[in-house]
Amino acid sequence: MDELHERITELKSLETEGDLDACEDGWTKGLEQESSQEMLVEYNRFRLRNLPKLEKKRPAVLVGAINNYLFPNFHTLDLLKVADVVSLTARLVETKHPDRLSYEWEMDRFPAICSRLPNGFVPDLFWDAQAAHSHIHPQGLEEAPFPTVAGLCHVQQTQVCRSLAMLFDFVAPVGRSFDPFFFNNGRAQVLKLPFGLNWASFHNIFPEQQKTAADIDLSLTFSSNIDPVYGGLREKVVRIVERFRQKWGVKYRIEIVSDLEKDKYQEILGRSRISVNVVGL
């Protein structure tokens, strides 16, 4: 058994013995040394099992369909560093852990789902980082007694903006050009967040030891695509970058690549001062 798993086993033994203060202190000190995914997940589960008995308070966040299939993922992993988190799933899965709550979309309304949350877990926030990405939102979400927030990254799904503005209290579009889809279309307040804060970061996919010099000035990591969801923007951006490279390729290093394996994609991003992406409309 490696050192990490030994530490987790020791902390679970303290919990079993009922010494929750020492256990909490142990988790806190352990995370200062090793904030791995396994440590974060196990600490979150420890807190959810014992919330009524714990002195330390943290925000409580209920996560929506962004984690319908898997929890946590890179959208929500860092959230475990600052909050107690329960993830909803519309999949009928058996789980013994308090961080995962399964519900039947056809049968369960949101207030009924909330009645099955772990003891002591009172949500401060309902959060879905990609609410427009073909997600199924719980029925009755608009009846939530706490704020609900929708991040919108897949903004090509503009046809759902009106319904999202009716369901959620707050929406955080990926760009201000999409604000008009929400103004006067519902009750949701548009959050003026910098790009990226409504979604997540890629930093968790990079190994700690990967410290690559940024020797590429500009990279473009996709090819032309006539799929209507991109609104012709991918073809347009590829042409612009190609013309830019023809004119300034001697002065700046410009890479245009696509269909990369994960490792190569990570490498290109790590080496790029600027990397261009186009999502949709």
Side-chain angles (χ1 to χ4, degrees), residues 208-249:
E208 281 294 324
Q209 67 273 18
Q210 184 174 318
K211 302 294 183 182
T212 308
D215 61 337
I216 298 173
D217 294 292
L218 174 67
S219 66
L220 183 147
T221 56
F222 56 83
S223 59
S224 296
N225 194 309
I226 61 173
D227 191 315
V229 301
Y230 298 116
L233 285 183
R234 290 208 162 185
E235 292 180 278
K236 181 179 180 180
V237 171
V238 169
R239 290 197 301 269
I240 290 173
V241 175
E242 286 175 341
R243 289 201 302 269
F244 187 84
R245 183 168 62 176
Q246 290 172 5
K247 183 175 182 179
W248 297 101

Side-chain angles (χ1 to χ4, degrees), residues 73-89:
N73 63 8
F74 77 97
H75 300 281
T76 47
L77 180 60
D78 281 344
L79 194 58
L80 297 177
K81 297 177 180 179
V82 296
D84 300 325
V85 184
V86 174
S87 170
L88 297 182
T89 175

